[in-house]
Amino acid sequence: VNTFVEFVPYVQRTKTLKYAVCIDSYTTLQNAHAVTAGRTFPDGNATALDHAVGYHRGGVARALLEAHLPFDVLSEHNVTHEALGPYRVVILPNNFCVSERIATLLREYVLQGGGLVATFETSLVDEWGKRRDDFALADLFGANYQQTDPIGPNRIGFSPSSHPVTEDPALKDLMGTTGATTYWGQFVRVQPDAGAAAPLVGTDVKNEAHDGKKHWTPLLLSDQGQG
């Protein structure tokens, strides 16, 4: 208690730096239990719930903190045009439930110059837990949904085409000069638009010796409007 009392004066009447904002999707958390979303997590099965929600949120928060990037958290129920306006980038950490209302606001935000970062199955389900055939934000992602692959061993490397992402010294320090890192987890296969850039290439180990049709896309970059 004393530590908290000593800390309070440092945060009273302060303002955050409006750089990035993570959207907290309570409907995603609720629908992580829903059969209609393709998920049935029995009560107490924290591991399964973490895979769907917790790991994505925690991973994004850790990455931002370790990079010393200021960010706020905004409830999806408070998302408005005015609320998003001050931020340079909006982050959706596997917010697989996205309503049409929020999709419309995000589309306007990006087309007017905002940045958007989204992971895994973001916008593949509506706010009622009904799975869509494609991402609600497919036009912003520059890709269409194909399938979700199960958890398993994978490799991530650099694309043969040169790109500023793969030329970044910090990334090469992490992944080596050609990019060859292991990844254990799920991923979504997508069909990228012609104008989208895919600087990284993923390969699941069982198909490692096969042709490029077995590759998946760990990172996709797309310009839409001014964003």
Side-chain angles (χ1 to χ4, degrees):
V1 176
N2 290 335
T3 303
F4 176 74
V5 171
E6 293 172 359
F7 178 71
V8 166
Y10 293 100
V11 295
Q12 282 184 315
R13 293 182 295 277
T14 60
K15 295 182 179 179
T16 60
L17 295 174
K18 304 301 181 185
Y19 176 72
V21 61
C22 296
I23 305 301
D24 176 36
S25 173
Y26 184 62
T27 53
T28 293
L29 182 61
Q30 286 180 311
N31 282 296
H33 295 272
V35 177
T36 51
R39 299 172 172 81
T40 51
F41 300 149
D43 291 341
N45 191 346
T47 301
L49 201 56
D50 276 341
H51 275 292
V53 180
Y55 293 157
H56 296 270
R57 295 182 179 185
V60 165
R62 179 176 178 178
L64 291 168
L65 289 169
E66 290 185 353
H68 305 292
L69 295 175
F71 70 97
D72 290 336
V73 177
L74 179 67
S75 168
E76 64 185 346
H77 303 296
N78 295 325
V79 172
T80 63
H81 181 76
E82 292 73 21
L84 298 179
Y87 298 98
R88 293 183 60 184
V89 60
V90 172
I91 302 172
L92 307 176
N94 193 31
N95 290 13
F96 56 79
C97 288
V98 173
S99 67
E100 290 298 330
R101 180 188 77 85
I102 292 180
T104 298
L105 288 171
L106 290 173
R107 191 168 289 109
E108 293 173 353
Y109 168 81
V110 170
L111 294 179
Q112 293 173 11
L116 180 67
V117 175
T119 69
F120 199 40
E121 294 182 329
T122 290
S123 79
L124 196 56
V125 178
D126 70 15
E127 69 272 33
W128 305 108
K130 184 178 180 181
R131 194 177 183 90
R132 297 180 170 107
D133 294 329
D134 199 357
F135 305 114
L137 300 174
D139 56 327
L140 299 185
F141 297 162
N144 297 106
Y145 176 80
Q146 291 184 315
Q147 68 183 59
T148 300
D149 278 37
I151 296 174
N154 298 270
R155 300 187 193 279
I156 297 177
F158 293 162
S159 169
S161 302
S162 178
H163 190 277
V165 167
T166 55
E167 294 302 320
D168 182 73
L171 191 63
K172 286 189 174 182
D173 186 52
L174 290 171
M175 297 180 61
T177 56
T178 60
T181 188
T182 57
Y183 165 72
W184 181 279
Q186 285 184 286
F187 60 88
V188 167
R189 292 186 188 271
V190 298
Q191 178 60 51
D193 292 347
L200 302 179
V201 175
T203 308
D204 54 304
V205 174
K206 65 181 180 180
N207 293 314
E208 192 168 20
H210 292 202
D211 59 29
K213 294 180 181 179
K214 298 297 182 181
H215 290 168
W216 56 280
T217 309
L219 175 66
L220 192 68
L221 307 174
S222 177
D223 294 329
Q224 303 297 337
Q226 300 179 52

